[in-house]
């Protein structure tokens, strides 16, 4: 089964909620959590992966309605697997579902990792461009690790990036890493890209990010990802 957990994205300066990111938290028949990697591998094998994204999005829109995200002007961020992005018709499905749920495209942020563009670059790109054209926001997830490159920041139709949590974790004790984070933030600002720092766990990290001009963050300092809970409404 598919569980849904939500984590707030906040404005660093005052902790005000600006968005919620949805995470898929699969559980087995006994209700025990299973690793998303295992789950996705299984779904890919059984061919279920195609409808998984739609199922997930359906859940997200239901959650969005319960949390009254639209009425409160809060964004919803959703992660999609590499597999789904390359599927022809992916963008059309998202567009159609947002319309059915009357959810404004500008409030839906689609998080993609760069690996999405490795296998099927042309097809993935055209799906992304369709989505962007329809008014959805696109951000590059886990920026700074793995295959992410500076080139993508100008090459892809994106609105922002998520600074990988490993940078947030190491910048406090590693001055050279801190310089790197500062440079990424400057670059993003010059390119007019939003940055969300992932994995903010301490006040020290928060302060450092603020000093370097980072505006948005998420992490355990604010809230762990948690099951849909109406108390989120009062954050
Ligand atoms: O793929 P993505 O980078 O969106 O996933 C983020 C993951 O990081 C989630 O699984 C989430 O549970 C986890 N996470 C969220 N906040 C924190 C945090 O403050 N610290 C750490 N270590 N992990 C976090
Ligand atoms: Mn993400």
């Amino acid at each position: 089964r598919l569980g849904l957990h939500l984590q707030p994205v906040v404005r660093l300066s005052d902790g005000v909620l600006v968005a919620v990111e949805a995470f898929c938290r699969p559980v087995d028949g006994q209700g025990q959590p299973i690793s998303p990697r295992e789950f996705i591998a299984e779904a890919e094998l059984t061919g279920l992966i195609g409808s998984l994204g739609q199922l997930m999005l359906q859940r997200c829109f239901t959650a969005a309605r319960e949390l009254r995200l639209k009425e409160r002007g809060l964004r919803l961020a959703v992660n999609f697997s590499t597999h789904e992005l390359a599927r022809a018709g992916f963008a059309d499905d998202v567009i159609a579902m947002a319309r059915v749920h009357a959810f404004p495209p500008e409030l839906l942020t689609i998080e993609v990792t760069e690996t999405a563009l490795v296998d099927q670059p042309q097809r993935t790109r055209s799906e992304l461009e369709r989505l962007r054209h329809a008014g959805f926001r696109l951000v590059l997830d886990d920026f700074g690790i793995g295959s992410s490159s500076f080139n993508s920041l100008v090459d892809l139709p994106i609105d922002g990036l998520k600074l990988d949590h490993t940078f947030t974790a190491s910048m406090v004790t590693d001055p050279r890493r801190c310089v790197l984070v500062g440079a990424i933030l400057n670059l993003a600002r010059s390119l007019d890209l939003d940055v969300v720092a992932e994995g903010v766990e301490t006040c020290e990290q928060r302060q450092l990010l603020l000093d370097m001009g980072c505006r948005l963050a998420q992490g355990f300092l604010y809230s762990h990802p948690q099951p849909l809970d109406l108390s989120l409404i009062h954050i």
Side-chain angles (χ1 to χ4, degrees), residues 21 23 79 111 141 162 198:
E21 177 173 1
F23 295 104
N79 299 277
E111 300 195 0
D141 206 356
K162 309 259 313 241
E198 294 179 340

Side-chain angles (χ1 to χ4, degrees), residues 12 165 167-172 198-212 221:
L12 269 171
H165 64 90
F167 286 101
T168 308
S170 57
M171 66 177 184
V172 173
E198 294 179 340
V200 177
E201 297 182 359
T202 68
C203 291
E204 201 182 358
Q205 291 167 348
R206 171 187 172 273
Q207 194 55 52
L208 205 50
L209 287 163
L210 261 180
D211 292 345
M212 290 192 288
L221 178 64

Side-chain angles (χ1 to χ4, degrees), residues 1-2 24 26-27 34-44 52:
R1 290 193 303 108
L2 204 56
C24 177
V27 291
I34 51 179
S35 87
R37 188 167 307 181
E38 211 174 293
F39 185 72
I40 286 168
E42 182 76 14
E44 278 176 355
L52 196 63

Side-chain angles (χ1 to χ4, degrees), residues 10-220:
V10 303
R11 198 159 65 195
L12 269 171
S13 59
D14 53 11
V16 165
L17 180 68
V18 297
V20 290
E21 177 173 1
F23 295 104
C24 177
R25 287 290 147 84
V27 291
D28 66 17
Q30 275 74 49
Q32 295 300 312
I34 51 179
S35 87
R37 188 167 307 181
E38 211 174 293
F39 185 72
I40 286 168
E42 182 76 14
E44 278 176 355
L45 270 177
T46 56
L48 238 142
I49 193 84
S51 45
L52 196 63
Q54 278 156 285
L55 197 64
M56 172 72 179
L57 198 54
Q58 192 90 39
R59 293 287 307 275
C60 288
F61 282 133
T62 307
R65 189 171 56 240
E66 286 178 47
L67 292 167
R68 305 186 64 251
L69 295 185
K70 178 171 70 172
E71 291 76 5
R72 300 159 73 202
L74 297 173
R75 291 200 293 252
L76 172 69
V78 184
N79 299 277
F80 284 100
S81 86
T82 304
H83 221 90
E84 283 164 294
L85 288 167
R87 182 171 64 80
F90 167 74
D92 284 335
D93 286 348
V94 174
I95 293 166
M97 280 176 72
R99 193 170 296 147
V100 165
H101 289 269
F103 197 76
E106 66 275 15
L107 289 184
L108 187 72
T109 302
I110 292 164
E111 300 195 0
V112 298
T113 56
E114 218 159 331
T115 47
L117 285 128
V118 177
D119 295 344
Q120 302 252 24
Q122 217 41 55
R123 194 183 284 180
T124 305
R125 178 181 290 271
S126 81
E127 294 299 314
L128 292 181
E129 272 158 8
R130 273 187 76 73
L131 287 166
R132 186 94 185 305
H133 190 72
F136 295 90
R137 296 179 79 252
L138 301 177
V139 304
L140 208 49
D141 206 356
D142 306 329
F143 185 77
I145 57 155
S147 65
S148 55
S149 67
F150 285 116
N151 198 36
S152 298
L153 297 181
V154 289
D155 204 30
L156 291 176
I158 55 169
D159 300 281
L161 60 93
K162 309 259 313 241
L163 185 69
D164 191 73
H165 64 90
T166 54
F167 286 101
T168 308
S170 57
M171 66 177 184
V172 173
T173 50
D174 183 347
R176 294 172 68 84
R177 192 90 54 167
C178 197
V179 170
L180 205 57
V181 172
I184 293 172
L185 288 168
N186 282 333
L187 187 63
R189 194 177 316 116
S190 307
L191 294 171
D192 204 20
L193 296 169
D194 266 352
V195 178
V196 176
E198 294 179 340
V200 177
E201 297 182 359
T202 68
C203 291
E204 201 182 358
Q205 291 167 348
R206 171 187 172 273
Q207 194 55 52
L208 205 50
L209 287 163
L210 261 180
D211 292 345
M212 290 192 288
C214 185
R215 292 182 47 248
L216 304 169
Q218 63 193 99
F220 298 167

